[in-house]
Amino acid sequence: MDGGDGVRPSVVFILAIGAALLLGVGSAVQQRVAFQAPDGLALRVGLLWHLVRQRLWLLGLSATLLGGLLSGAALGRGSVVLVQPVLVLRLLFALSASALWSRRPLRRRDWGVALAVTMGMVAFIVAGRPGTGNPEGVPAWDWAVAAAGIGTLTLLLVRSARRLRPAQEAPMLAIGAGMLYGLQSALTQSAVHRLSTHGLLGLLTSWQPYTVFMIGLIGTLLAQSAFDLAPLSVSYPPLAAAEPLSGIAIGIGVLGGTLRLTPGALAVEVAGLIVMTFAVYLLAASPHIVGHHLEPVNEPPDDAP
């Protein structure tokens, strides 16, 4: 497995796991705050304006920003095809953080599903042996085509979601956010490599960092809108599943990242992705992810004494 430019894969793993830790904890905190935002703010800039005035949300934002920095460092040393599957582990960290927060022990089912997420991720990486590709040699036209494709799909999801109920709208917005985050990760890999070869001035005079920022801002609006509309059990799994799939597709199709495509390796890779994606949905249904304050309350009937 190629860690990229002579960098040991273990370094990339450590950076990616650190990023997953910060992203998972930060997202769990942000969702708890966003879900309590006033109604009618979804997909409005006013939602972000409301959230930036909440100290707890800002704490979660700080964690996700630090996670983004570690993710960028990992992408600068390895392939987005390698890093994105590792970032799926952030849901495990979100689960653990929520358990500590609510002081409720994890169930055996939660640990079993968490193990399935990990095994699916490891199976994909070991079988695929992701290669870095050429993040700097990609023509701007190829990026434009990829961005147009992701942007069009996201716009269609948002327009369709606006006609649905919140519980149906939230996952569609989350899928759009996940696809944008996958594109952002691929662009981050390109930007970090440009920084390493052309220096800070070369990076600042290129289009990549500004595009990364804009995509991240739009993705944040979609993600927070999904968090505002529905509990994490509804809004987070589609995002967590769509992001690595988007990142892997762009990493291979645009950046030229490589995977082993022998019949046996391909079968394990597909199985690993399926197990990982399905387990993400099961794991997010844990009460530690949803939050004890979101659990239904058994109210007495109206005719109760």
Side-chain angles (χ1 to χ4, degrees), residues 16 20 26 59 79 94 98-100 103 113 151 197 202 271 284:
L59 182 63
S79 167
S98 185
L100 290 174
R103 297 181 181 180
V113 177
T197 56

Side-chain angles (χ1 to χ4, degrees), residues 218-241:
I218 297 171
T220 298
L221 178 59
L222 292 181
Q224 298 304 317
S225 296
F227 292 165
D228 176 42
L229 291 168
L232 219 61
S233 58
V234 176
S235 57
Y236 196 45
L239 190 157

Side-chain angles (χ1 to χ4, degrees), residues 8 22 96 109 130 156 170 260 282 290:
R8 291 181 300 172
L22 291 168
S96 301
R109 171 188 175 278
L156 291 174
R260 286 202 305 168
L282 294 179
V290 179

Side-chain angles (χ1 to χ4, degrees), residues 1-7 12 74-83 129-136 138 186 189-190 193 250-252 254-259:
M1 180 164 41
D2 182 12
D5 299 330
V7 178
V12 180
L75 290 166
R77 292 165 171 79
S79 167
V80 66
V81 183
L82 168 63
V83 174
R129 296 182 183 176
T132 303
N134 183 23
E136 274 201 273
V138 179
Q189 182 182 350
S190 176
H193 276 269
I250 297 172
I252 295 174
V254 178
L255 294 176
T258 58
L259 283 174

Side-chain angles (χ1 to χ4, degrees), residues 1-2 79-85 120-133 244-253 255-273 276:
M1 180 164 41
D2 182 12
S79 167
V80 66
V81 183
L82 168 63
V83 174
Q84 276 293 342
M121 179 269 294
V122 171
F124 174 83
I125 292 175
V126 171
R129 296 182 183 176
T132 303
L245 296 177
S246 172
I248 290 169
I250 297 172
I252 295 174
L255 294 176
T258 58
L259 283 174
R260 286 202 305 168
L261 298 178
T262 61
L266 187 59
V268 175
E269 292 160 25
V270 172
L273 285 178
M276 185 171 60

Side-chain angles (χ1 to χ4, degrees), residues 128-152:
R129 296 182 183 176
T132 303
N134 183 23
E136 274 201 273
V138 179
W141 172 252
D142 290 354
W143 282 118
V145 171
I150 294 294
T152 300

Side-chain angles (χ1 to χ4, degrees), residues 155-179:
L155 181 61
L156 291 174
L157 284 171
V158 171
R159 289 176 64 89
S160 300
R162 297 305 288 166
R163 305 186 182 97
L164 303 175
R165 295 179 178 179
Q168 299 169 314
E169 181 180 0
M172 296 185 70
L173 297 181
I175 291 173
M179 291 194 300

Side-chain angles (χ1 to χ4, degrees), residues 267-281:
V268 175
E269 292 160 25
V270 172
L273 285 178
I274 291 174
V275 169
M276 185 171 60
T277 302
F278 183 64
V280 163
Y281 276 85

